[in-house]
Amino acid sequence: MANNGDSIKITNSVSGNATILALGKAFPQQLVMQDYLVDGFFKSTNCTDHELKQKLTRLCKTTTVKTRYVVMSEEILKNYPELATEGLPTVKQRLDISNKAVTQMAIDASLSCVKVWGRPLSSITHLVYVSSSEARFPGGDLHLARGLGLKPDVCRIMLAFTGCSGGVAGLRVAKDLAENNPGSRVLLATSETTIVGFRPPSAQRPYDLVGVALFGDGAGAVILGADPVPGVEKPLFELTSAIQQYLPDTEKTIDGRLTEEGIKFQLGRELPQVIESHVKEFCKKMLKGTVCSGAEYNDLFWAVHPGGPAILSKVEGRLQLKPDKLSASRDALRDFGNASSNTIVYVLENLVEESKKKREKGEEDSEWGLILAFGPGITFEGILTRNLVC
């Protein structure tokens, strides 16, 4: 790695920083193939607008998504036909479905993660729960803790309505908890569903079709802790430093509102350009004064939340990254769509697999990298990360 001509000495020890000890994911049963989405969506919503159907067909091709998982099903629409009817107050029905679904997916993802981790649930001391898909109190953090059978004195925190940056925000919060509570083990869980924003197509809301073509449902989970137990825990990534920044006067670019009809959500067309204009300075700020200060961007690995193909292309172009540098993000987008806060977990899993394959082949692998996400605000989240996969 370049560093203004100076060599960097790296030891194999983890310096007390939080580490990612395990990753997990879970999905609803309904798998949607992108090639069949358009016909199914227009049939289920009883829409015959040919122009809107053509528009959605074009969007589905440009998103690069191939498969996604969704909570919405024929059975749900049969039981709740009002969800496919324009203008009806359905927020109660949507939240009843969503609250139950996100909790179950979070439980499944957490159990999967704990199984990989190899230690008992009773070792979890803190819980961070992230979701933009529910609204209730007690919040989903308590429902998840109860569903997992965690101890009543587990310290909980919930991050709500953080959107696509929520997963990295959750990592940042979990990192602080792990580092400031010696011996702690933090479970981070994210869970999202698009059912709260499901609406029939309308010529008055053509931007809704972007969400139909792009977003997916699911859950992710991460176990974090400092000072991994030798021979028991196998750290994957060390989280060295984390920062957050919002861009003034951009709060309308990613706009979501909870209404009687559910969440009304709109992405501004300028979003990829706004991210492009600010991502380089944000990365410079994140690297300044660190072991990677002055590093060439192509010497790092990249875990970027795949908000969409345009965002990934703008980041790649602005930072002059080689095409393979964002392959983990593009593969996650292809397989799962933009699953909001969950997606960064899928990207990190892809990076782990990439690292293992490279090391099996004896190929050089980047030791240091950046985790990035962009959400409402517009908010940038970033973490400087060290690859510990062996």
Side-chain angles (χ1 to χ4, degrees):
M1 178 187 303
N3 186 42
N4 298 329
D6 297 327
S7 62
I8 300 173
K9 293 183 179 180
I10 301 297
T11 64
N12 291 325
S13 63
V14 177
S15 59
N17 290 324
T19 60
I20 291 177
L21 301 171
L23 297 163
K25 61 180 181 290
F27 301 98
Q29 294 183 346
Q30 188 83 358
L31 174 65
V32 175
M33 307 294 291
Q34 194 82 334
D35 290 343
Y36 302 104
L37 176 135
V38 178
D39 288 338
F41 178 64
F42 274 77
K43 180 181 178 181
S44 64
T45 55
N46 300 309
C47 181
T48 58
D49 190 315
H50 183 67
E51 186 175 339
L52 285 177
K53 191 172 184 179
Q54 285 186 320
K55 182 178 178 64
L56 181 57
T57 300
R58 292 193 298 270
L59 285 170
C60 284
K61 291 179 180 179
T62 60
T63 60
T64 71
V65 177
K66 297 298 182 184
T67 55
R68 281 177 291 166
Y69 293 86
V70 295
V71 171
M72 180 59 78
S73 64
E74 290 183 3
E75 181 181 359
I76 288 176
L77 283 176
K78 181 179 178 180
N79 294 332
Y80 301 92
E82 62 271 26
L83 299 184
T85 304
E86 185 73 26
L88 293 183
T90 53
V91 66
K92 180 183 182 302
Q93 296 94 312
R94 294 172 189 274
L95 289 176
D96 285 347
I97 299 167
S98 178
N99 290 343
K100 181 180 178 180
V102 292
T103 297
Q104 188 58 55
M105 290 189 294
I107 290 172
D108 293 343
S110 298
L111 291 177
S112 173
C113 187
V114 169
K115 183 178 180 180
V116 173
W117 177 39
R119 294 183 64 184
L121 273 167
S122 58
S123 298
I124 298 296
T125 59
H126 295 73
L127 173 65
V128 179
Y129 176 62
V130 181
S131 182
S132 298
S133 304
E134 62 163 88
R136 55 180 163 171
F137 61 88
D141 56 319
L142 178 62
H143 292 279
L144 175 57
R146 290 178 59 187
L148 288 172
L150 297 180
K151 295 178 294 185
D153 62 354
V154 164
C155 297
R156 313 182 319 272
I157 187 169
M158 179 171 177
L159 304 181
F161 297 106
T162 50
C164 291
S165 60
V168 183
L171 285 172
R172 173 173 51 80
V173 171
K175 166 182 163 61
D176 286 347
L177 291 171
E179 292 173 354
N180 289 285
N181 295 274
S184 63
R185 289 298 179 262
V186 185
L187 169 61
L188 164 65
T190 66
S191 194
E192 307 286 3
T193 174
T194 53
I195 207 161
V196 287
F198 179 90
R199 288 193 288 176
S202 169
Q204 281 70 50
R205 302 187 318 275
Y207 45 81
D208 279 3
L209 298 180
V210 175
V212 176
L214 183 63
F215 291 105
D217 300 353
V222 186
I223 301 287
L224 300 96
D227 303 316
V229 179
V232 178
E233 297 175 318
K234 299 178 180 179
L236 302 173
F237 299 97
E238 175 186 348
L239 307 183
T240 303
S241 58
I243 65 172
Q244 180 195 65
Q245 178 179 332
Y246 78 93
L247 306 179
D249 303 319
T250 63
E251 63 272 10
K252 296 294 184 181
T253 305
I254 304 175
D255 189 46
R257 300 177 185 275
L258 189 60
T259 72
E260 292 182 347
E261 299 174 52
I263 288 182
K264 293 186 177 181
F265 185 72
Q266 185 173 355
L267 293 174
R269 291 185 177 182
E270 71 275 16
L271 178 60
Q273 287 74 30
V274 173
I275 292 173
E276 178 187 31
S277 298
H278 294 86
V279 68
K280 192 170 185 177
E281 281 302 313
F282 183 74
C283 291
K284 285 182 180 179
K285 181 178 180 180
M286 194 162 21
L287 297 177
K288 185 177 180 181
T290 72
V291 69
C292 295
S293 180
E296 296 289 339
Y297 289 137
N298 279 302
D299 288 338
L300 306 174
F301 66 84
W302 294 83
V304 180
H305 169 79
I311 290 174
L312 292 179
S313 294
K314 292 295 186 182
V315 170
E316 180 182 87
R318 187 73 180 98
L319 301 178
Q320 297 182 318
L321 299 178
K322 296 176 182 177
D324 65 324
K325 286 296 176 178
L326 296 184
S327 59
S329 297
R330 288 198 167 94
D331 289 351
L333 182 64
R334 177 196 65 204
D335 296 339
F336 308 113
N338 178 348
S340 192
S341 65
N342 310 317
T343 325
I344 199 64
V345 179
Y346 314 153
V347 174
L348 289 171
E349 281 198 327
N350 287 344
L351 280 172
V352 170
E353 292 306 311
E354 285 183 7
S355 290
K356 289 180 178 178
K357 289 178 181 178
K358 286 180 180 179
R359 297 185 185 195
E360 287 173 359
K361 296 177 181 178
E363 297 176 359
E364 187 177 353
D365 196 15
S366 298
E367 183 173 19
W368 293 91
L370 297 181
I371 302 175
L372 293 177
F374 320 103
I378 295 173
T379 300
F380 280 44
E381 294 276 358
I383 302 177
L384 175 62
T385 308
R386 183 184 175 198
N387 187 346
L388 302 177
V389 177
C390 57

